[in-house]
Amino acid sequence: MVGTPTNGRARLAFSVVNGGQELCLTSTPTSIAGSDYGGIEFTKEDVEALLNEKLKRKDRFNLKEKCDNMVEYIKKLKQCIKWFQELEYSYLLEQKKLQDELESSEIKFSEMEMIVKKKEEELNSIVVELRKNNAFLQEKFTREESDKLAAVESLTKEKEARLIMERSQASAFEELARAQRELSSANQKISSLNEMYKRLQDYITSLQQYNGKLHTELSTAEDDLKRVEKEKAAMVEDLGMIKGELALSKASQDEAVKQKDAMMNEVTCLRREIQQVRDDRDRQLSLVQNLSDEVEKCRESAGKYCEELNEMKEKTNELEATCSSQSIELRTLQNHLAAAENKLQVSDLTAMETMHEFEDQKRLVRELQQRLADAENKLMEGEKLRKKLHNTILELKGNIRVFCRVRPLLPDERSSPEGNFISYPSSVESLGRGIDLVQNGQRHSFSYDKVFAPEATQEDVFVEISQLVQSALDGYKVCIFAYGQTGSGKTYTMMGRPGLLKEKGLIPRSLEQIFQTRQSLQLQGWKYEMQVSMLEIYNETIYDLLSTNRTAPDVLRSENGSPIKPYAIKHDASGNTQVSDLTVVDVHSAREVSFLLEQASRSRSVGKTQMNEQSSRSHFVFTLKISGINESTDQQVQGILNLIDLAGSERLSKSGSTGDRLKETQAINRSLSSLSDVIFALAKKKEHVPFRNSKLTYLLQPCLGGDSKTLMFVNISPDSSSASESLCSLRFAARVNACEIGTPRRLTNTQS
């Protein structure tokens, strides 16, 4: 039976929304300042109280009072939904603002990162240059050390030579002492001694001049060393070693000066001795001849000593030149070090500033992310409450829920020269629920309970129907069926793609959820028994997909030759549907049901047309009967889950069907046309609804006209060549969404 309309104006509102002619969709919600809802706010307790509110009736048969109570209750629900819509819009605005702030902060963060990277590169280049300079200085330092070691060795050699000279002079003095005693015999050699004396005087004068030069050079060297020491004091600790070595070299030079002073004293002593020799030359004439050879030897040694002194002079000049160059280099290095230290200080300051700004930006980003997460949580809670309120209104009104799903474009469809003719409005009221279709330049707007874009996954689709599937375990009759043209993705939505876990359809996912929930409810004392049956309606004939014999039952005959009755559809007084002689299997796990589904899919009738390589040529009906009992409360529930994959509608001119395919197409179109007639009659509230015009509508009679929770998936193709078929499917879905079939009733009783 078809119930009378509970609220005519509410049904008219749904028709206006789906017609898209009188309702103007805007991007901002309508203000409620001047409406009946203005200034009303709802808390969570108010919403729960509103949802749990029970209608109070004095007289059970007073329909007018019932209608008034329902109108008042629906008015409250509308107020609550309007308030949630505005709250959702404010959350969306805040979320958009937070996203803009987050993007700006991310841009600033990226800029700061670039600046920090540049600073790091500059600092790295400066550090590399300093390391190169340090290596160069170390090399020069090692060279100077080697030169100084060579100078020290030469000085030691000079000392040894001087010691040898002193020893030879001592021996000469001894010989002169002997010669003084023998001057009487050396008168002939006085002339030669005089000449030697003159030469020695010249040599002494040259030595004095050389000593003067050495004094001046030493004074300049001391000044340079003092200046170098002052410059070295500003260097790093590593250059202190050079200063110490220079001090050692200064000390060695001082020792050399002392040694030269000693030699000068010795020369004065020699002069005195020569004066004595003059006095005693008469006695030493005899020894001059013997000493001449020794003097020649001394000359040779003196020449060698002069050459060594010249070499030492050249080395000292070279050392002075190296010291001056090193002092210049030290000054330049000090300037470089000062500049590098200034750069380091500036870079440290800028780095500290950038780090502080970076920390501030990170703190701001964390705050924005936290605010965004809070806003998203609030938005999710509001969306859940909105869905719950919306489902409650639909259950109270008894409307069939409609979900629309648009499949993605196939590879061979992407090269279409025409543009995309399907769009999705972005306003708050239509976000996720509206769809627009353009045909011949005219826009057609539709609104459903949910619209899934092509990028929606199987998991996203199942999340929206999971609560409806749960209702089957709670004792409700639930029916979900997929409608659409051939190739629009109905079978993929219901069954999925075998072998791929992420692409499982609604049927296997629903069974997994039911068996998981059944296991969790066992702790509360519930025990469930489940039975599965699967059939298909092919050419207006019912076939049992779980039977081992796939021959049509109306042509089967028994062993004695008598014909077997075909499968008959029966409805009892409580609204339950049974098909006679249909195979019913007891199941205990989702794996068993998956095995039966594979068996049924192999037995199902499929064929190839110009619109689809593997087109479903029959209506597939999956039924799960659930019987539950709670031994602790003696409560019993009986739920039914019907999952239906309808055959695809198609035009004969487009599908190119001939022969058997032509008969199949005609039978499919007739059954779908009968379904359209039933929906039209329910929408118009006609007294007679033609459920018996086809096997499909007669099988769906409890779902369309009884106390079942019914949901229809309308699948459409985004291909521009299917625009007319998609428009017809959307219009049919709009009529289905406006149908009121009665309030769902839970099938429960108490065990006797």
Side-chain angles (χ1 to χ4, degrees):
M1 290 181 64
V2 181
T4 58
T6 59
N7 191 354
R9 279 185 286 180
R11 186 177 61 81
L12 182 59
F14 273 91
S15 64
V16 169
V17 169
N18 292 307
Q21 298 176 357
E22 299 178 5
L23 184 61
C24 180
L25 298 176
T26 61
S27 60
T28 57
T30 307
S31 175
I32 62 169
S35 63
D36 296 335
Y37 320 130
I40 298 176
E41 293 185 357
F42 290 87
T43 61
K44 187 175 181 181
E45 291 78 10
D46 297 336
V47 174
E48 291 180 354
L50 187 61
L51 292 174
N52 297 325
E53 182 178 352
K54 295 182 179 180
L55 299 178
K56 298 179 181 180
R57 292 180 295 174
K58 296 180 180 179
D59 189 0
R60 184 179 298 177
F61 300 99
N62 191 350
L63 297 177
K64 184 177 180 180
E65 182 184 358
K66 181 180 179 181
C67 290
D68 294 337
N69 292 333
M70 289 292 288
V71 167
E72 186 65 25
Y73 187 61
I74 290 170
K75 185 176 180 181
K76 292 180 181 178
L77 290 173
K78 285 182 178 179
Q79 291 177 355
C80 188
I81 289 172
K82 191 69 176 180
W83 181 74
F84 271 109
Q85 286 178 349
E86 292 185 352
L87 187 63
E88 181 182 6
Y89 177 68
S90 64
Y91 284 154
L92 288 173
L93 289 177
E94 186 177 358
Q95 184 180 7
K96 186 177 181 182
K97 189 185 295 182
L98 291 173
Q99 286 178 353
D100 294 337
E101 293 178 358
L102 182 61
E103 290 175 357
S104 63
S105 62
E106 286 178 352
I107 292 170
K108 290 181 180 179
F109 179 70
S110 61
E111 292 177 355
M112 295 302 295
E113 281 187 344
M114 293 295 292
I115 293 170
V116 169
K117 287 182 180 178
K118 289 181 180 178
K119 294 294 183 182
E120 286 181 355
E121 291 176 356
E122 292 178 358
L123 290 175
N124 290 329
S125 63
I126 292 170
V127 169
V128 169
E129 290 179 357
L130 290 175
R131 286 177 179 174
K132 290 181 180 178
N133 294 329
N134 190 12
F136 182 69
L137 287 174
Q138 286 181 353
E139 290 178 357
K140 286 191 174 181
F141 181 68
T142 53
R143 290 176 184 174
E144 290 175 0
E145 283 184 348
S146 61
D147 294 337
K148 287 178 180 179
L149 289 173
V152 169
E153 289 177 357
S154 63
L155 288 173
T156 53
K157 289 180 180 179
E158 185 179 357
K159 288 179 181 179
E160 291 176 355
R162 287 177 180 176
L163 290 174
I164 293 169
M165 187 175 179
E166 288 177 356
R167 291 174 184 174
S168 63
Q169 286 178 356
S171 61
F173 289 150
E174 291 176 356
E175 289 176 355
L176 285 173
R178 289 195 303 270
Q180 286 176 1
R181 293 189 299 266
E182 296 175 355
L183 275 176
S184 60
S185 62
N187 291 323
Q188 296 178 358
K189 298 180 179 178
I190 290 173
S191 58
S192 61
L193 286 173
N194 290 325
E195 293 178 357
M196 182 182 69
Y197 176 72
K198 291 179 180 179
R199 291 176 183 175
L200 286 172
Q201 283 183 348
D202 295 333
Y203 178 68
I204 288 167
T205 55
S206 65
L207 285 176
Q208 288 176 353
Q209 292 175 359
Y210 180 68
N211 286 327
K213 290 180 181 179
L214 285 177
H215 281 298
T216 55
E217 290 173 358
L218 283 172
S219 62
T220 55
E222 286 177 357
D223 296 334
D224 293 335
L225 286 172
K226 289 178 181 179
R227 188 173 61 255
V228 169
E229 286 174 358
K230 291 179 181 179
E231 292 173 354
K232 286 180 181 178
M235 292 295 288
V236 292
E237 295 179 356
D238 296 334
L239 298 178
M241 297 174 66
I242 298 173
K243 183 178 178 181
E245 292 177 357
L246 288 174
L248 292 174
S249 64
K250 183 180 177 182
S252 63
Q253 288 179 356
D254 293 335
E255 290 177 358
V257 170
K258 291 178 180 180
Q259 290 176 358
K260 287 179 182 179
D261 294 334
M263 289 178 68
M264 289 296 295
N265 295 325
E266 291 176 357
V267 168
T268 53
C269 293
L270 285 173
R271 286 179 180 177
R272 293 173 184 173
E273 290 176 356
I274 288 169
Q275 187 66 32
Q276 291 177 2
V277 169
R278 286 178 180 176
D279 296 335
D280 299 332
R281 61 186 175 180
D282 294 333
R283 291 179 298 166
Q284 292 179 353
L285 288 173
S286 60
L287 297 173
V288 169
Q289 188 65 34
N290 296 325
L291 292 172
S292 60
D293 298 331
E294 295 178 357
V295 168
E296 290 293 332
K297 294 179 180 178
C298 289
R299 286 178 181 176
E300 292 177 357
S301 62
K304 292 180 181 179
Y305 294 150
C306 289
E307 291 176 358
E308 290 178 358
L309 287 172
N310 292 327
E311 290 178 357
M312 289 297 296
K313 186 178 180 181
E314 292 177 357
K315 288 182 180 179
T316 52
N317 292 328
E318 290 177 358
L319 286 173
E320 288 175 358
T322 53
C323 287
S324 62
S325 63
Q326 285 177 1
S327 63
I328 294 169
E329 290 177 356
L330 285 172
R331 289 175 184 174
T332 55
L333 288 173
Q334 284 178 353
N335 295 328
H336 286 302
L337 281 173
E341 287 177 355
N342 293 328
K343 288 182 179 179
L344 283 172
Q345 291 177 358
V346 173
S347 62
D348 289 338
L349 292 174
T350 54
M352 290 295 291
E353 292 176 357
T354 52
M355 286 298 292
H356 288 308
E357 292 179 358
F358 178 69
E359 292 294 333
D360 295 337
Q361 292 293 330
K362 284 179 70 175
R363 197 178 300 108
L364 181 60
V365 168
R366 291 195 198 98
E367 292 177 358
L368 290 174
Q369 288 177 350
Q370 185 65 31
R371 290 175 62 186
L372 183 61
D374 295 339
E376 287 179 352
N377 292 329
K378 292 179 181 178
L379 188 62
M380 290 175 65
E381 292 178 359
E383 183 67 17
K384 289 179 181 179
L385 284 173
R386 186 197 63 76
K387 288 180 181 179
K388 193 172 182 180
L389 289 170
H390 184 66
N391 294 335
T392 305
I393 289 176
L394 290 177
E395 289 176 2
L396 290 172
K397 292 180 66 177
N399 287 68
I400 301 176
R401 280 180 254 183
V402 175
F403 287 174
C404 177
R405 187 178 190 185
V406 184
R407 70 163 173 81
L409 279 169
L410 300 177
D412 55 349
E413 295 173 347
R414 296 184 185 276
S415 59
S416 176
E418 301 180 10
N420 193 3
F421 66 99
I422 296 175
S423 60
Y424 309 95
S426 58
S427 61
V428 177
E429 295 180 354
S430 302
L431 186 63
R433 295 186 291 273
I435 183 172
D436 295 340
L437 187 144
V438 179
Q439 187 187 27
N440 298 327
Q442 185 179 1
R443 181 178 295 275
H444 303 274
S445 299
F446 300 92
S447 180
Y448 304 105
D449 297 289
K450 185 68 178 177
V451 174
F452 296 98
E455 56 270 13
T457 62
Q458 298 281 64
E459 178 68 23
D460 298 335
V461 176
F462 179 72
V463 168
E464 295 293 331
I465 69 160
S466 58
Q467 293 182 356
L468 190 62
V469 174
Q470 178 66 31
S471 300
L473 278 173
D474 298 335
Y476 288 94
K477 287 190 289 186
V478 178
C479 177
I480 302 174
F481 64 95
Y483 176 87
Q485 71 175 102
T486 299
S488 59
K490 300 182 300 301
T491 304
Y492 177 77
T493 299
M494 300 303 292
M495 299 294 294
R497 192 169 295 170
L500 298 176
L501 296 177
K502 293 184 178 180
E503 299 189 23
K504 290 188 292 186
L506 301 184
I507 295 178
R509 289 178 186 270
S510 300
L511 295 172
E512 289 178 359
Q513 177 183 347
I514 285 176
F515 281 101
Q516 288 176 0
T517 310
R518 166 194 175 183
Q519 188 175 2
S520 62
L521 290 176
Q522 287 180 355
L523 301 175
Q524 302 177 11
W526 284 97
K527 292 183 179 180
Y528 289 94
E529 293 181 357
M530 300 184 185
Q531 295 178 333
V532 170
S533 63
M534 302 181 202
L535 61 89
E536 70 171 350
I537 302 175
Y538 176 72
N539 286 346
E540 286 299 311
T541 304
I542 296 177
Y543 290 90
D544 187 1
L545 294 178
L546 298 181
S547 176
T548 56
N549 197 333
R550 283 288 294 126
T551 310
D554 53 355
V555 298
L556 288 177
R557 294 185 178 273
S558 60
E559 295 179 357
N560 56 6
S562 60
I564 299 176
K565 277 186 175 184
Y567 297 109
I569 301 171
K570 298 179 182 179
H571 304 298
D572 56 15
S574 60
N576 296 322
T577 302
Q578 293 181 353
V579 180
S580 61
D581 300 325
L582 190 67
T583 303
V584 179
V585 181
D586 293 331
V587 291
H588 304 88
S589 65
R591 185 177 297 177
E592 295 179 6
V593 184
S594 300
F595 176 76
L596 296 176
L597 281 172
E598 292 177 0
Q599 178 183 346
S601 62
R602 289 193 298 268
S603 302
R604 189 178 178 187
S605 300
V606 295
K608 179 179 180 181
T609 66
Q610 292 182 1
M611 299 180 66
N612 195 359
E613 289 290 331
Q614 286 189 344
S615 175
S616 301
R617 313 306 297 166
S618 64
H619 306 301
F620 172 73
V621 181
F622 173 88
T623 303
L624 177 67
K625 294 182 179 180
I626 303 172
S627 299
I629 183 172
N630 194 329
E631 296 179 352
S632 60
T633 60
D634 293 335
Q635 187 179 9
Q636 291 181 346
V637 294
Q638 292 180 353
I640 298 175
L641 178 62
N642 292 313
L643 302 173
I644 303 169
D645 179 18
L646 298 178
S649 61
E650 58 187 28
R651 295 182 182 180
L652 295 175
S653 59
K654 193 172 183 180
S655 63
S657 301
T658 58
D660 293 337
R661 294 288 176 266
L662 177 60
K663 294 179 181 179
E664 294 170 356
T665 304
Q666 290 173 348
I668 291 169
N669 290 339
R670 278 197 300 270
S671 62
L672 294 177
S673 178
S674 300
L675 180 62
S676 179
D677 294 338
V678 169
I679 297 297
F680 184 76
L682 290 172
K684 293 294 183 180
K685 300 297 182 181
K686 291 184 178 181
E687 295 181 359
H688 173 68
V689 181
F691 287 110
R692 292 181 177 270
N693 286 359
S694 70
K695 295 285 182 65
L696 175 64
T697 55
Y698 192 52
L699 184 66
L700 295 178
Q701 182 177 354
C703 302
L704 299 176
D707 51 4
S708 174
K709 291 186 177 182
T710 305
L711 170 66
M712 185 185 85
F713 271 97
V714 55
N715 297 80
I716 62 174
S717 171
D719 188 13
S720 57
S721 61
S722 304
S724 58
E725 287 84 358
S726 299
L727 182 59
C728 293
S729 299
L730 292 174
R731 285 174 175 169
F732 175 72
R735 288 198 296 270
V736 172
N737 201 14
C739 289
E740 297 178 8
I741 60 174
T743 305
R745 182 171 57 89
R746 187 183 182 190
L747 302 178
T748 59
N749 55 12
T750 305
Q751 186 179 9
S752 59

